[in-house]
C-alpha cells in the first residue's frame, strides 16, 4: 500500500475564515445596534442581541480554528498501510487504524458531504479525545453511530476521489488480512 498525503487547502481555509469574520462582524452589530435589525414582524431586541452573541461565539470559535489551520504545517490526510491519519477538522482524532475500521459511508448535510468511518471500538476513540473535541466526537456518535468523520472541505482533494481512495485502501487491507 503506497502512502498518500493530501495537504490542507489554504484557499478553502481562507474562504472559511472570511465567512466566519463576516458573521462575527454581523453578530457584533446585532449586539451593539439591535434596533437596526427590527422589523414590523420582529421587534424583540433581546432576541436580536442573543442571536448576535451566539453568532459571535460560534463564528469567533470557527475563525480561531481557521487561523490555527491556516498555519498548520501538517497534511490534512495521510493514508498508508497503518490507516488514515486525519487532520481535516476540529474533531479529527489522528490515526484511525485499518484494523479498527468496519466500513465507510457517505453522508450529506446540505451541500457538505463527509465520510463516516464506522469502527469496532468507538469508546477507545472517544477516550483518546479531551474537552471540546470529545464533545464533538460524542455528538457525532449520537447522530451517526460513529464518532469519526472526514470532510474534504479543508483539503486539496475532490470528495468523490477521496471516497474511492479510502474505500479502495480499506478493501485492500481487508483482503490482505482475511487470509
Amino acid at each position: 500500500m503506497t502512502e498518500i498525503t493530501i495537504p490542507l487547502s489554504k484557499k478553502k481555509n481562507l474562504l472559511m475564515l472570511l465567512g466566519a469574520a463576516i458573521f462575527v462582524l454581523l453578530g457584533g452589530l446585532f449586539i451593539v445596534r439591535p434596533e437596526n435589525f427590527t422589523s414590523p414582524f420582529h421587534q424583540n431586541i433581546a432576541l436580536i442581541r442573543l442571536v448576535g452573541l451566539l453568532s459571535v461565539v460560534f463564528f469567533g470559535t470557527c475563525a480561531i480554528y481557521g487561523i490555527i489551520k491556516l498555519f498548520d504545517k501538517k497534511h490534512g490526510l495521510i493514508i498508508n498501510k497503518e490507516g488514515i491519519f486525519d487532520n481535516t477538522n476540529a474533531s479529527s482524532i489522528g490515526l484511525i487504524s485499518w484494523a479498527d475500521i468496519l466500513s465507510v459511508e457517505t453522508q450529506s448535510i446540505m451541500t457538505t458531504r463527509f465520510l463516516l468511518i464506522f469502527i469496532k471500538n468507538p469508546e477507545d476513540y472517544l477516550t483518546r479525545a479531551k474537552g471540546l473535541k470529545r464533545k464533538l466526537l460524542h455528538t457525532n456518535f449520537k447522530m451517526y453511530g460513529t464518532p469519526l468523520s472526514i470532510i474534504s472541505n479543508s483539503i486539496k482533494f475532490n470528495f468523490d476521489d477521496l471516497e474511492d481512495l479510502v474505500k479502495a485502501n480499506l478493501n485492500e487491507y481487508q483482503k490482505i488480512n482475511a487470509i
Side-chain angles (χ1 to χ4, degrees):
M1 189 177 296
T2 310
E3 181 169 284
I4 299 157
T5 58
I6 302 170
L8 291 168
S9 172
K10 300 297 181 193
K11 181 181 176 183
K12 290 178 182 178
N13 201 11
L14 275 172
L15 289 172
M16 183 198 68
L17 188 54
L18 179 63
I22 289 168
F23 278 99
V24 167
L25 289 172
L26 285 172
L29 287 173
F30 275 39
I31 294 167
V32 176
R33 302 254 186 231
E35 64 278 355
N36 292 351
F37 300 96
T38 60
S39 73
F41 302 107
H42 192 273
Q43 302 206 3
N44 187 338
I45 288 179
L47 182 60
I48 293 170
R49 278 198 170 117
L50 177 62
V51 169
L53 179 64
L54 293 174
S55 178
V56 168
V57 170
F58 177 76
F59 290 104
T61 303
C62 291
I64 291 167
Y65 175 75
I67 291 168
I68 291 167
K69 279 299 183 189
L70 199 57
F71 296 103
D72 190 347
K73 300 288 186 221
K74 296 181 213 158
H75 291 288
L77 279 176
I78 299 172
I79 300 171
N80 61 25
K81 64 182 179 177
E82 296 173 33
I84 305 166
F85 184 86
D86 179 22
N87 182 37
T88 59
N89 61 62
S91 66
S92 295
I93 197 71
L95 180 65
I96 306 166
S97 172
W98 292 123
D100 292 339
I101 300 175
L102 296 170
S103 65
V104 176
E105 293 179 17
T106 301
Q107 185 70 251
S108 297
I109 295 180
M110 299 210 293
T111 60
T112 302
R113 294 190 306 166
F114 50 96
L115 293 177
L116 293 174
I117 311 295
F118 290 91
I119 50 177
K120 295 175 187 172
N121 46 0
E123 287 300 322
D124 290 350
Y125 284 85
L126 289 169
T127 57
R128 279 174 37 186
K130 305 285 184 242
L132 180 60
K133 185 178 284 197
R134 179 181 273 175
K135 289 191 184 303
L136 291 171
L137 291 172
H138 191 66
T139 300
N140 273 358
F141 186 57
K142 286 185 357 187
M143 288 176 62
Y144 303 110
T146 180
L148 306 179
S149 63
I150 299 174
I151 59 171
S152 65
N153 287 359
S154 61
I155 57 175
K156 290 181 183 177
F157 212 74
N158 174 280
F159 182 83
D160 292 324
D161 295 339
L162 175 63
E163 179 182 18
D164 292 344
L165 181 65
V166 169
K167 286 181 176 180
N169 279 275
L170 176 60
N171 286 338
E172 182 179 337
Y173 174 85
Q174 289 172 336
K175 281 181 187 175
I176 292 170
N177 291 289
I179 299 171

